Amino acid sequence: MAANRAEQALVEQWRDILALHARTQCELDRTLHGHGLCASDFEVLDLLAECAAADGSCAYRVQEISERVHLSQSALSRLIGRLEKDGLVERAMCPDDRRGVRVVLTAKGRALHGEVRPMQRAVLARMLADAD
């Protein structure tokens, strides 16, 4: 009986996490939509901006981005294609591995990231505060 209650509590906690994630994702999408972005687009820009902040001109391999933003390689490739078409990122061959592709934030991408970052952070703060 106690094991059933503990298991049910675990399942309910998991479902609460999933619901919070879904609500937050939807709110991020609504907030960023006016800037031509969705939450996943922003995550890629944010990752590249954090990297660039560390050394000024950092690039990630597509596989490295995929591991950090939790998208499949094909979904990420399509997303990067859209960001590249919009002039927010650039792709280039890896100098040390000709099969690899590196992605770097453009000046336009850096500017857009700087503009929407406070909005994204405000949504996170509000949604996660509501979860407490």
Side-chain angles (χ1 to χ4, degrees):
M1 190 75 136
N4 268 350
R5 277 191 297 242
E7 184 178 309
Q8 186 58 38
L10 184 64
V11 169
E12 287 176 20
Q13 183 180 15
W14 172 243
R15 289 179 181 154
D16 288 345
I17 291 169
L18 291 175
L20 175 61
H21 177 268
R23 286 191 310 271
T24 304
Q25 192 82 5
C26 287
E27 187 62 26
L28 287 169
D29 285 341
R30 273 193 293 277
T31 299
L32 299 172
H33 179 74
H35 298 275
L37 298 174
C38 68
S40 294
D41 296 340
F42 180 84
E43 285 301 317
V44 170
L45 296 180
D46 200 42
L47 179 64
L48 293 171
E50 286 174 2
C51 176
D55 81 351
S57 64
C58 182
Y60 274 113
R61 292 176 59 132
V62 174
Q63 181 177 350
E64 294 169 320
I65 297 171
S66 166
E67 292 167 359
R68 300 279 307 274
V69 298
H70 310 289
L71 293 172
S72 69
Q73 196 112 12
S74 61
L76 179 61
S77 185
R78 288 188 302 274
L79 185 152
I80 290 171
R82 285 192 319 272
L83 295 176
E84 186 176 36
K85 182 178 167 219
D86 292 341
L88 302 174
V89 302
E90 292 177 345
R91 287 190 263 199
M93 299 304 292
C94 290
D96 50 327
D97 178 3
R98 304 301 283 164
R99 296 170 294 161
V101 175
R102 295 170 43 144
V103 181
V104 65
L105 199 58
T106 65
K108 181 179 178 183
R110 212 172 354 275
L112 181 59
H113 174 266
E115 182 182 334
V116 300
R117 183 180 183 270
M119 292 178 243
Q120 188 263 3
R121 297 302 198 259
V123 168
L124 290 181
R126 186 176 71 249
M127 298 302 289
L128 296 177
D130 289 349
D132 291 338

